[in-house]
Amino acid sequence: MQLDTLQTQHQFFIRQRIRMMVNQYEVRAVAPDGSEGELLAFAQQKRLAFKEQVTIYTDDSKQTPLLGFKARQRLDLGATYDVTDHAANPIGLFRKDFAQSLLRSTWHVEQAGLPQITGQERSLPVALLRRFVDSLSWLPYHFDFVAGGQPVFSVVKKWGLRDRYVVEIQNPQIDRRLVIAMAVGLDALQSR
């Protein structure tokens, strides 16, 4: 996938693959009929890493890295994850707001040239149910990311046996690689 082609995407799907020992994700374009289209990227979380790390490749052969994100520290309740391109050049970062996340998960996303973006679970009642009723921890969560009161992108988890998300991008200036990293991070890191 060419970067300029990726940057034209306004919506895409992310689906978790069922694997025993590793988190893997497919990032797919939206086909003209609204179904899942071509593979845009493939993500895999590094196994048994001291610091959380996910590499996102151009496809599932895992031959060509597209980007990745990695925690700055080993253990940090409000961990910051640096997002870099295939050559380790910075794209941006995201971090969990631990205090705000006690009741409603909140993340901050930063990209040079844009104001700070804040993403929060859309529904406070669902957020509370997921936290305080163990048998309901499977409830889907939806995040809206905004900057200066304006929508930037959203991540909506769909019902199903596998984790599946619809990502919609409203701000054309946000780097799609940063959006992909944050959306994959929501699934891979949300319960931490």
Side-chain angles (χ1 to χ4, degrees), residues 37-52:
E38 71 173 303
L39 185 67
L40 298 173
F42 177 79
Q44 181 165 310
Q45 189 172 15
K46 189 170 183 177
R47 298 179 200 203
L48 305 171
F50 286 111
K51 295 180 186 179
E52 288 292 341

Side-chain angles (χ1 to χ4, degrees), residues 20-166:
M20 293 296 284
M21 299 296 292
V22 66
N23 281 335
Q24 293 182 336
Y25 303 90
E26 295 176 359
V27 180
R28 295 196 168 269
V30 177
D33 66 358
S35 65
E36 291 184 16
E38 71 173 303
L39 185 67
L40 298 173
F42 177 79
Q44 181 165 310
Q45 189 172 15
K46 189 170 183 177
R47 298 179 200 203
L48 305 171
F50 286 111
K51 295 180 186 179
E52 288 292 341
Q53 182 175 350
V54 174
T55 302
I56 301 169
Y57 301 92
T58 56
D59 60 34
D60 58 1
S61 71
K62 299 185 279 183
Q63 298 298 312
T64 309
L66 179 64
L67 69 130
F69 63 87
K70 185 176 184 177
R72 287 185 180 171
Q73 299 174 323
R74 287 188 203 179
L75 293 174
D76 184 2
L77 297 175
T80 297
Y81 299 86
D82 292 303
V83 181
T84 57
D85 69 10
H86 67 284
N89 298 311
I91 295 171
L93 62 87
F94 60 89
R95 63 184 163 78
K96 190 168 191 174
D97 187 322
F98 179 73
Q100 289 269 332
S101 295
L102 291 174
L103 295 179
R104 189 185 220 173
S105 292
T106 303
W107 292 82
H108 300 290
V109 179
E110 296 179 20
Q111 175 185 314
L114 293 179
Q116 180 173 282
I117 302 160
T118 300
Q120 191 170 58
E121 283 182 274
R122 185 178 295 165
S123 171
L124 180 59
V126 169
L128 293 172
L129 284 171
R130 284 187 338 96
R131 282 163 180 70
F132 298 114
V133 181
D134 284 339
S135 63
L136 296 177
S137 62
W138 53 267
L139 283 172
Y141 45 83
H142 313 308
F143 280 82
D144 295 308
F145 289 82
V146 299
Q150 297 300 311
V152 178
F153 67 96
S154 63
V155 179
V156 175
K157 186 175 182 181
K158 296 295 186 181
W159 292 91
L161 294 176
R162 291 190 281 180
D163 292 343
R164 194 171 71 95
Y165 302 87
V166 176

